[in-house]
């Protein structure tokens, strides 16, 4: 025990004393503390009785500190400040920490990264550490708290937060075609670029727009960013998510190769292990990214 209890005045009394000393008025202190004036006066009287010292005297309508009161209020203010800061620190630390997140390269670069400053501003107590992974993986044995996966809700041992479907568009360099093709099969006149992790993307796209076929093999890339650069340099037609294609389309580096678009066969999900509670940084991130995807739907 630090000291006998008789040496510890109540927090309410200390707050009332500090407010009266600062405002020089029991009435104003009562308004600030949402108390009655008589309640504030009783708190001051109780504190003086406990200390056996007069802390304040009345001069007209003002409350004036005695010498002992002036000495005491300096200590009280420092103690109250430190107590409040300790409370804030404890609360913040319980909600703070690092979030280790595995992301898909294109989604992370083109969709998530431009928005992360919003999360940092809303949650300065959380540090987000990002690492790229090209395909879904088992989280249990990994160093990650969560991951962005693409596909369907068929991964074992995880909880899911659906983020968004992947909408894809066929794009190419402006000088490769004169205008977007109306007939999807006209795209077969040019090389089609393929993504390693989406080997059936083109066949599914043709099926979705009503022209099932087995498109020819072509150059294969491990990332959308590399495939976009290949399309930009005239090597063929790429099937890109809209969030990857849009910047290139807006600045004219790429153009739509067809006027047909469709949602892909899968969606993006935030996933995390289901065998333990989500840590506070992950809970904060879940709430934030869900809000971001909802705004995008509007």
């Amino acid at each position: 025990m630090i000291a006998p209890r008789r040496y510890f005045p109540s927090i309410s009394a200390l707050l009332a004393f500090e407010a009266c000393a600062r405002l020089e008025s029991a009435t104003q202190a009562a308004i600030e503390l949402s108390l009655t004036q008589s309640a504030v006066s009783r708190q001051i009287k109780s504190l003086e009785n406990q200390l056996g010292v007069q802390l304040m005297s009345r001069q007209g309508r003002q409350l004036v500190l005695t010498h002992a009161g002036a000495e005491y209020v300096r200590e009280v203010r420092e103690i109250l400040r430190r107590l409040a800061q300790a409370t804030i620190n404890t609360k913040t630390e319980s909600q703070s920490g690092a979030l280790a997140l595995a992301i898909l390269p294109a989604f992370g670069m083109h969709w998530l990264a431009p928005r992360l400053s919003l999360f940092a501003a809303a949650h300065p107590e959380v540090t987000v550490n990002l690492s790229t992974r090209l395909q879904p993986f088992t989280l249990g044995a990994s160093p990650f708290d969560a991951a962005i996966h693409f596909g369907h809700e068929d991964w074992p041992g995880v909880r899911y937060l659906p983020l968004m479907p992947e909408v894809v568009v066929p794009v190419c360099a402006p000088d490769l075609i004169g205008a977007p093709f109306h007939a999807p099969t006209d795209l077969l006149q040019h090389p089609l670029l393929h993504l390693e992790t989406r080997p059936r993307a083109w066949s599914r796209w043709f099926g979705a727009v009503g022209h099932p076929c087995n498109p020819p093999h072509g150059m294969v890339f491990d990332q959308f960013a590399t495939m976009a650069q290949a399309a930009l340099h005239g090597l063929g037609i790429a099937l890109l998510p809209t969030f990857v294609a849009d910047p290139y389309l807006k600045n004219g580096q790429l153009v739509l190769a067809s006027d047909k678009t469709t949602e892909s066969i899968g969606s993006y999900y935030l996933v995390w292990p289901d065998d333990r509670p989500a840590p506070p940084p992950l809970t904060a991130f879940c709430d934030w990214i869900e809000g971001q995807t909802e705004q995008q739907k509007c």
Side-chain angles (χ1 to χ4, degrees):
M1 186 174 179
I2 298 174
R5 290 185 60 184
R6 66 179 180 273
Y7 292 117
F8 290 94
S10 72
I11 294 294
S12 297
L14 294 179
L15 290 171
F17 170 57
E18 191 282 327
C20 284
R22 174 165 38 85
L23 301 172
E24 299 182 340
S25 167
T27 301
Q28 293 301 315
I31 294 172
E32 180 177 291
L33 299 173
S34 299
L35 297 172
T36 64
Q37 181 180 348
S38 60
V40 170
S41 297
R42 285 196 299 270
Q43 293 280 14
I44 301 299
K45 188 63 175 177
S46 174
L47 183 59
E48 289 178 331
N49 290 339
Q50 183 177 9
L51 297 174
V53 175
Q54 184 179 3
L55 299 173
M56 312 189 79
S57 63
R58 181 171 293 280
Q59 292 182 5
R61 294 186 177 182
Q62 286 188 321
L63 288 176
V64 179
L65 291 167
T66 63
H67 177 74
E71 293 290 330
Y72 191 54
V73 77
R74 281 197 292 269
E75 299 291 339
V76 167
R77 282 177 178 151
E78 177 62 17
I79 290 168
L80 291 175
R81 185 195 65 78
R82 292 174 60 186
L83 179 59
Q85 189 61 55
T87 302
I88 292 170
N89 291 345
T90 301
K91 182 177 180 180
T92 300
E93 287 173 4
S94 69
Q95 299 173 349
S96 66
L99 174 64
L101 182 65
I103 58 172
L104 294 166
F107 184 88
M109 177 186 301
H110 296 280
W111 191 91
L112 181 59
R115 293 170 170 82
L116 269 182
S117 61
L118 300 175
F119 178 76
H123 296 279
E125 76 281 4
V126 178
T127 301
V128 180
N129 298 318
L130 302 176
S131 294
T132 58
R133 294 294 185 274
L134 297 179
Q135 294 182 340
F137 59 92
T138 302
L139 275 169
S142 76
F144 300 107
D145 299 303
I148 304 292
H149 283 353
F150 173 82
H152 295 285
E153 297 181 14
D154 56 1
W155 303 289
V158 296
R159 296 178 182 175
Y160 309 89
L161 175 63
L163 299 179
M164 67 182 71
E166 183 183 77
V167 180
V168 293
V169 290
V171 295
C172 63
D175 57 359
L176 191 66
I177 61 173
F181 294 119
H182 294 293
T185 51
D186 288 343
L187 272 67
L188 299 174
Q189 302 171 20
H190 299 276
L192 302 182
L193 308 180
H194 300 262
L195 190 71
E196 187 176 46
T197 55
R198 310 275 206 282
R200 291 178 49 78
W202 274 114
S203 62
R204 285 166 175 152
W205 182 85
F206 279 108
V209 297
H211 293 271
C213 69
N214 292 315
H217 295 291
M219 295 180 67
V220 179
F221 302 85
D222 67 344
Q223 295 189 34
F224 280 123
T226 313
M227 187 164 68
Q229 288 298 312
L232 190 150
H233 290 288
L235 294 179
I237 300 175
L239 198 59
L240 298 178
T242 52
F243 59 77
V244 176
D246 281 348
Y248 296 104
L249 293 172
K250 288 177 180 177
N251 63 24
Q253 290 180 290
L254 294 174
V255 296
L256 290 175
S258 169
D259 54 12
K260 306 290 186 181
T261 61
T262 183
E263 290 187 2
S264 179
I265 58 162
S267 296
Y268 291 96
Y269 294 85
L270 178 67
V271 303
W272 62 95
D274 64 0
D275 60 352
R276 55 184 180 270
L282 176 56
T283 299
F285 186 79
C286 285
D287 292 341
W288 172 81
I289 198 170
E290 185 175 22
Q292 291 294 307
T293 56
E294 286 298 322
Q295 288 181 19
Q296 185 166 300
K297 295 175 186 176
C298 298

